[in-house]
Amino acid sequence: MTTDVSAHTHAGAGAAAPPPEAVGPLIRGLAVLRELAVQEGRRPVSELARATRLARATVDRVLSTLARIGYVRVEGREAVLAPRLMELGNAYLAACRLTDLLGPFADRLADTLDESVSLAVPDGDGVRFVHQAPRRRAMSLAFRIGDLLPAERGAPGALFAGAWGKREWERWRERRERDPDDTGFPVVPHGNGDAAATFEERITAARRDGWSLDDQLIEPGLVAIAAPVRDAEGRRVCAVSVVSHTSRHDTGSLRESVLGPVRETVQQMEQALATPVTGTSVPPPVAADASWARASKHALGPEFVESLAHGLTVLTAFGHDHPGLSLTAIAGATGLTRATARRALITLDHLGYVTTRGRLFAPTPRVLGLGFSRLAELTLPQIAQPHLVSLVERVHESASMTVLTGNDIQYVARVPTVHIMSVNITVGTRFPAYATSMGRVLLAGLPRQERTARLAAIPLAALTRHTVTSPQHLAAVLDEVARDGYALVNEELEEGLRSLAVPVRDRHGQVVAAVNVSLHAARSTPEHSLAALLAPLGEAAAAIERDLHVANRYTSVSVT
Ligand code: PHB
């Protein structure tokens, strides 16, 4: 299927000819990312070539460049979005500040009302979510940060459309004609002609009332009320929505019970928005800078498209407490020349990924359309899996990830080798934490008080002749593990089995999981295993952490 998402969010994208300074490879690279994002975040490379109408060799070069940056993986014949790509959406979210500043208020409102609350911004003739405080209820579908709704479906759109000009209305009508069933919006159930038919009426009501209702415009049962939030200059920068279900509220009772609290929250949000920005004046250098691109070009030759890498680097320069950046600041942060940065910005502006305000550039919500919501679905085991596969290919031993469940470790990811092990482990398998390397890493990562309390409560049975069963001894071992950053356990869970584990930490330094390599004890000495395996295992954990920290910035990543 060819879904041209470019067409329904930004006037001119795909239609108007690019300005002469525009960077072709950046246009093509973004087209590939968009096509990858509209499906499940995974597509055959041949299909990508068809959908983008680019030559296969061009798509291959784009993909090898994106793979080098860490934004996609190529697995056999398929290209897959990778978590690192979320750094582009993170840059937009950090720069727009709405999630950071207003998210806590939305969370509090959700707690107070015990209903889902979201924040959404206008994006062309659509509405894009920038925050979700969900109350998980099985009955209705839940949106994620980055998801896009047609403006006529849902409560926030009628608030934003009140400010539409001729151009926006033209774009809306054109899209309605081209795609009456909303197939270009993968997250909404197809087609609701009523939503379009009542749109103007609802815009008028929203203008009059200052709030807007969604009476099952998205799907049967789903009702919502939204109110606009204005910045210091009076612009409607986002909408806060409270989402409920007809089993709890009709639109009348929803309005009666939540409009008061919503208005109070909006007032607090507007105060927060009026507080001046206190960022430093120079953004810190970004990771994927110009010198990295040069080195990659050197390593990959024609399979690395430098101008695509440069253009994407420009997007990552945003955020860091800076709502907008000058050309000079962007060039400084990325290490690019002003001329290169300028051409990238002209291209991104043409495609609707940045806007200008005076002399400052800022990313747009459209950046979230580059796979953000797809990737926001990933769990920690899914993030870890490709890194564990690489680790196993490197060390030729089985690798796993576990989390702490009570006094046990529980496997959440596992990549076995062909070696026949006596232990039969699958995802879900549990072992006592105290006798395993991953368990010791997880116990050592607990706050000291909790660790002590946990140790006192665990019965320490001798599972083999080697199992540590003295609480004092185990406490000393855990101190060592905490100090060294790894645990090596030799034949304490099972005779003949050796395992080396290291922690996986979240952005705050909290240990959330452990990864290990396990092997036959008879094949080498413990010293030799440590010398051979600690570095590759540590690198795999670091790669998992890098992805997790990007994914975790604005979305919660499930550890199971
Ligand atoms: C949501 O956040 O899920 C939501 C918001 C507004 C709507 C419907 C759903 O109208």
Side-chain angles (χ1 to χ4, degrees):
M1 180 177 74
T2 304
T3 312
D4 185 6
V5 278
S6 65
H8 62 61
T9 51
H10 195 75
E21 299 103 316
V23 182
L26 180 54
I27 295 177
R28 295 189 276 279
L30 288 165
V32 168
L33 279 176
R34 263 195 316 273
E35 279 300 335
L36 208 41
V38 286
Q39 306 275 309
E40 298 306 303
R42 169 185 289 273
R43 280 179 98 173
V45 179
S46 56
E47 207 182 294
L48 277 177
R50 247 196 322 279
T52 54
R53 299 194 188 90
L54 293 172
R56 173 62 193 252
T58 305
V59 174
D60 284 337
R61 272 199 301 278
V62 162
L63 288 174
S64 63
T65 305
L66 294 172
R68 176 82 175 184
I69 302 171
Y71 287 176
V72 304
R73 290 193 311 276
V74 179
E75 294 179 350
R77 290 159 178 221
E78 290 191 322
V80 191
L81 294 177
R84 179 82 181 270
L85 177 60
M86 293 174 88
E87 74 184 18
L88 300 184
N90 286 349
Y92 159 71
L93 291 168
C96 89
R97 305 192 312 142
L98 295 172
T99 311
D100 288 315
L101 281 179
L102 310 186
F105 295 103
D107 296 348
R108 225 167 297 149
L109 183 62
D111 285 341
T112 308
L113 301 174
D114 195 26
E115 298 282 5
S116 294
V117 173
S118 63
L119 296 175
V121 297
D123 183 355
D125 64 344
V127 167
R128 201 171 299 266
F129 291 105
V130 295
H131 184 72
Q132 283 286 348
R135 291 291 160 275
R136 289 276 164 226
R137 292 193 172 100
M139 268 178 304
S140 48
L141 84 169
F143 297 111
R144 287 185 301 271
I145 294 182
D147 278 337
L148 183 73
L149 298 182
E152 70 277 17
R153 308 273 300 267
L159 298 167
F160 300 138
W164 281 4
K166 196 166 151 253
R167 212 179 61 153
E168 283 86 2
W169 277 111
E170 266 169 20
R171 195 188 310 171
W172 182 79
R173 286 201 191 88
E174 187 207 311
R175 189 253 298 159
R176 286 293 312 159
E177 242 165 67
R178 181 167 28 86
D179 183 16
D181 291 328
D182 301 331
T183 56
F185 298 83
V187 293
V188 289
H190 287 180
N192 182 345
D194 283 358
T198 61
F199 193 31
E200 297 201 32
E201 220 172 281
R202 286 183 286 114
I203 294 167
T204 307
R207 205 181 272 128
R208 181 191 63 221
D209 304 332
W211 44 266
S212 169
L213 286 172
D214 166 0
D215 191 358
Q216 310 177 70
L217 297 164
I218 293 169
E219 65 168 6
L222 187 66
V223 288
I225 186 166
V229 182
R230 291 180 171 81
D231 68 7
E233 283 128 70
R235 283 175 310 212
R236 301 175 166 207
V237 286
C238 71
V240 51
S241 303
V242 176
V243 190
S244 190
H245 193 268
T246 45
S247 61
R248 294 188 298 284
H249 280 298
D250 60 23
T251 49
S253 75
L254 183 66
R255 190 193 58 223
E256 251 160 60
S257 61
V258 314
L259 192 56
V262 166
R263 283 187 158 147
E264 267 167 50
T265 300
V266 166
Q267 225 168 34
Q268 294 162 355
M269 288 177 165
E270 291 182 345
Q271 256 161 29
L273 279 180
T275 318
V277 185
T278 55
T280 48
S281 58
V282 181
V286 293
D289 62 3
S291 58
W292 175 86
R294 257 193 311 278
S296 298
K297 183 72 193 169
H298 196 73
L300 295 184
E303 293 310 300
F304 187 80
V305 186
E306 249 179 315
S307 54
L308 169 56
H310 290 334
L312 295 172
T313 297
V314 162
L315 280 176
T316 62
F318 291 104
H320 312 287
D321 287 335
H322 291 267
L325 291 176
S326 68
L327 174 58
T328 306
I330 292 166
T334 56
L336 299 171
T337 63
R338 280 174 63 92
T340 303
R342 184 174 158 273
R343 288 190 58 195
L345 287 164
I346 287 171
T347 312
L348 293 168
D349 182 37
H350 165 70
L351 296 173
Y353 292 107
V354 300
T355 63
T356 50
R357 271 183 87 186
R359 292 178 52 246
L360 297 186
F361 296 88
T364 66
R366 188 172 162 73
V367 172
L368 290 172
L370 299 170
F372 193 90
S373 70
R374 295 277 167 213
L375 290 163
E377 272 182 304
L378 292 180
T379 63
L380 180 58
Q382 289 170 326
I383 288 173
Q385 186 75 14
H387 299 297
L388 294 179
V389 168
S390 304
L391 175 62
V392 170
E393 281 169 0
R394 205 171 150 190
V395 301
H396 308 291
E397 303 287 359
S398 303
S400 304
M401 175 182 268
T402 59
V403 295
L404 199 58
T405 308
N407 294 334
D408 290 340
I409 57 167
Q410 181 159 27
Y411 282 74
V412 293
R414 177 158 173 86
V415 180
T417 55
V418 284
H419 298 307
I420 299 150
M421 301 288 290
S422 56
V423 279
N424 191 6
I425 299 166
T426 56
V427 166
T429 298
R430 287 181 175 217
F431 289 125
Y434 72 93
T436 63
S437 65
M438 288 189 280
R440 287 185 185 170
V441 158
L442 291 165
L443 290 170
L446 293 173
R448 181 159 293 274
Q449 265 193 339
E450 203 183 326
R451 191 207 296 179
T452 310
R454 191 75 70 102
L455 276 189
I458 301 179
L460 304 177
L463 303 174
T464 72
R465 293 170 295 147
H466 309 283
T467 314
V468 171
T469 53
S470 137
Q472 291 77 21
H473 187 182
L474 186 60
V477 167
L478 293 183
D479 282 339
E480 258 173 61
V481 170
R483 188 195 64 212
D484 299 341
Y486 69 83
L488 180 71
V489 171
N490 204 37
E491 305 192 81
E492 294 191 47
L493 176 70
E494 186 179 314
E495 300 278 353
L497 183 66
R498 181 178 301 149
S499 164
L500 176 67
V502 298
V504 174
R505 296 174 189 275
D506 67 12
R507 299 172 53 81
H508 310 291
Q510 195 67 46
V511 175
V512 291
V515 289
N516 87 332
V517 170
S518 59
L519 62 153
H520 278 303
R523 278 212 291 276
S524 68
T525 63
E527 293 73 27
H528 183 260
S529 299
L530 185 63
L533 298 174
L534 187 57
L537 179 60
E539 284 162 29
I544 294 167
E545 285 181 345
R546 255 196 316 276
D547 281 354
L548 173 64
H549 298 177
V550 172
N552 223 2
R553 173 75 178 86
Y554 286 104
T555 69
S556 60
V557 177
S558 166
V559 296
T560 56

